[in-house]
Amino acid sequence: DIVMSQSPDSLAVSLGERATINCKSSQSVFFSSNNKNNLAWYQQKPGQPPKLLIYWASTREFGVPDRFSGSGSGTDFTLTISSLQAEDVAVYYCQQYYTTPFTFGPGTKVDIK
Amino acid sequence: EVQLLESGGNLVQPGGSLRLSCAVSGFSFSTYAMGWVRQAPGKGLEWVATINYRGDSTYYADSVKGRFTISRDNSENTLYLQMNSLRADDTAVYYCAKDSGSSGYDPGDYWGQGTLVTVSS
């Protein structure tokens, strides 16, 4: 199984400042046949289901604000919130969909400082 | 508007069975893979199972393999999860999710609100 890890476990950022979350997979999730990384990022607010933010590691889902961006390749990935807003308080999860089981990272909780 | 509505969650005794349903609308159900993801109270997300668009390929987490069965009825726009031999560690909110593609190897782009399954005596 591919094990997903995330760092930090939690972070507190001032409004308008940058938040950076890291995700690491135990093996590469790069799919050479389509030249893409099978890595997604989700946002989950309290009492709500997850919401897809980013797929193929760096493609923003329709309607997601452009302050959210994803980067990385192979085994190391990053989700960046360029200017944190109050509505961004949530837990963020990465997930690999390269191979079953489609494992999630443990999550990173983002709060306002 | 895409909608996914789970039902069937309940309190069940260890060793018991339960069938979850997910009724969908707002998209061409038979075109997309579908899946179930669960979240134990206060914990993270755990992928449970996925089924491709035709229903002829299914994938399971090791923790549920042999006990849970995912299926779909494309004529009724409904996804199912039959859960047998339930254990206390199956207690969770179960989310139904629409895949963004048809094969099952895609992220979930729409999610239901979830249904709570509690396994306890």
Side-chain angles (χ1 to χ4, degrees):
Chain A
D1 297 2
I2 296 179
V3 177
M4 307 299 291
S5 58
Q6 290 181 231
S7 63
D9 294 337
S10 64
L11 75 163
V13 175
S14 300
L15 288 172
E17 296 300 304
R18 178 184 302 262
T20 302
I21 300 168
N22 300 300
C23 172
K24 190 174 184 68
S25 56
S26 60
Q27 63 188 75
S28 176
V29 298
F30 179 74
F31 201 37
S32 56
S33 66
N34 62 2
N35 211 37
K36 293 181 178 180
N37 291 279
N38 288 28
L39 190 286
W41 288 96
Y42 298 89
Q43 175 194 64
Q44 188 179 31
K45 297 180 180 180
Q48 295 187 19
K51 174 187 175 183
L52 178 65
L53 295 177
I54 303 281
Y55 57 97
W56 302 131
S58 60
T59 301
R60 202 177 302 116
E61 174 71 340
F62 180 77
V64 173
D66 60 7
R67 63 180 180 274
F68 291 93
S69 63
S71 63
S73 184
T75 62
D76 292 279
F77 302 92
T78 300
L79 174 70
T80 301
I81 310 173
S82 60
S83 175
L84 191 75
Q85 304 300 303
E87 61 265 32
D88 300 334
V89 169
V91 179
Y92 293 83
Y93 296 92
C94 59
Q95 183 203 24
Q96 64 82 16
Y97 49 97
Y98 178 81
T99 186
T100 60
F102 299 131
T103 40
F104 288 90
T108 294
K109 186 176 182 181
V110 174
D111 269 318
I112 305 295
K113 185 187 291 183
Chain B
E1 181 190 5
V2 172
Q3 292 190 331
L4 298 89
L5 183 62
E6 303 97 336
S7 60
N10 210 334
L11 171 64
V12 61
Q13 292 189 339
S17 297
L18 215 51
R19 188 199 204 197
L20 305 184
S21 299
C22 175
V24 314
S25 61
F27 66 98
S28 178
F29 180 68
S30 61
T31 304
Y32 293 95
M34 297 289 298
W36 292 95
V37 172
R38 68 185 180 183
Q39 187 168 35
K43 302 297 184 183
L45 301 172
E46 180 187 13
W47 172 77
V48 173
T50 293
I51 187 167
N52 74 341
Y53 72 111
R54 289 187 306 216
D56 55 2
S57 290
T58 56
Y59 313 94
Y60 296 95
D62 286 347
S63 58
V64 307
K65 200 173 295 182
R67 300 188 299 123
F68 290 12
T69 302
I70 188 172
S71 61
R72 63 191 298 158
D73 185 337
N74 285 348
S75 66
E76 295 290 333
N77 289 351
T78 304
L79 175 73
Y80 300 101
L81 185 68
Q82 177 67 43
M83 305 186 295
N84 299 330
S85 303
L86 283 161
R87 312 185 303 221
D89 62 359
D90 293 318
T91 294
V93 173
Y94 284 73
Y95 294 103
C96 159
K98 168 191 169 293
D99 269 24
S100 58
S102 61
S103 68
Y105 283 75
D106 295 286
D109 57 359
Y110 288 92
W111 296 62
Q113 289 298 311
T115 187
L116 177 62
V117 172
T118 303
V119 184
S120 175
S121 54

